[in-house]
Amino acid sequence: MPNKFHTCLLVDDNYIDNFVTRRILESVDFADDIVVIQSATEALDALQKGAVKPDVIFLDIRMPQMSGFEFLKAYETLGTDKSGTKIFMLSSSLDPTDMNNSLSNKYVTQFVHKPLTHEALEELCT
């Protein structure tokens, strides 16, 4: 898989999930830089300040303090350019409502089940 992205942001409160996802992304040279933030509110703050300018975001749905869906609502109000950013909802949720809500959001490119696999990653990049 050729290197397609400059910066990838992982937003997930689970350390183990972040570790696994990061290792898979690194193994295929998915991005030049992989930034991991374990809180949706901290991720929004970093985006607002321009501390991270991702080409792609992997966003968990179920997180304490702020869910992935709440993140998306706040993301919409950020005064930043969103045109070049793909958001993939990365979740262990099997709830069809979560999948439908994800795919109906204009910022979400695709819903991906955890754990991220090489096969799923290949599908995302085709």
Side-chain angles (χ1 to χ4, degrees):
M1 172 184 302
N3 188 349
K4 292 193 167 213
F5 299 102
H6 177 64
T7 303
C8 175
L9 173 61
L10 303 181
V11 183
D12 193 328
D13 64 304
N14 187 299
Y15 173 83
I16 299 296
D17 288 342
N18 285 329
F19 179 81
V20 170
T21 301
R22 183 183 195 119
R23 295 293 291 207
I24 288 171
L25 294 171
E26 289 173 342
S27 74
V28 296
D29 200 25
F30 185 78
D32 295 327
D33 190 23
I34 299 170
V35 177
V36 178
I37 300 180
Q38 290 186 260
S39 157
T41 54
E42 288 177 30
L44 286 167
D45 188 50
L47 290 166
Q48 181 67 47
K49 291 178 178 175
V52 61
K53 295 179 183 175
D55 305 287
V56 63
I57 299 172
F58 285 94
L59 177 63
D60 187 24
I61 292 176
R62 307 252 187 265
M63 293 181 283
Q65 299 167 351
M66 178 181 275
S67 73
F69 295 122
E70 292 168 327
F71 171 95
L72 290 170
K73 285 180 186 174
Y75 179 78
E76 185 166 26
T77 68
L78 290 181
T80 59
D81 179 24
K82 301 165 190 70
S83 61
T85 304
K86 292 183 177 190
I87 298 179
F88 299 113
M89 297 300 278
L90 183 61
S91 179
S92 56
S93 173
L94 298 175
D95 184 346
T97 303
D98 285 342
M99 185 180 294
N100 291 335
N101 287 342
S102 296
L103 297 176
S104 67
N105 185 287
K106 67 181 178 180
Y107 297 110
V108 175
T109 303
Q110 192 165 340
F111 183 95
V112 183
H113 287 284
K114 285 183 184 178
L116 183 65
T117 63
H118 285 96
E119 294 79 15
L121 199 53
E122 286 286 336
E123 188 177 305
L124 294 178
C125 293
T126 56

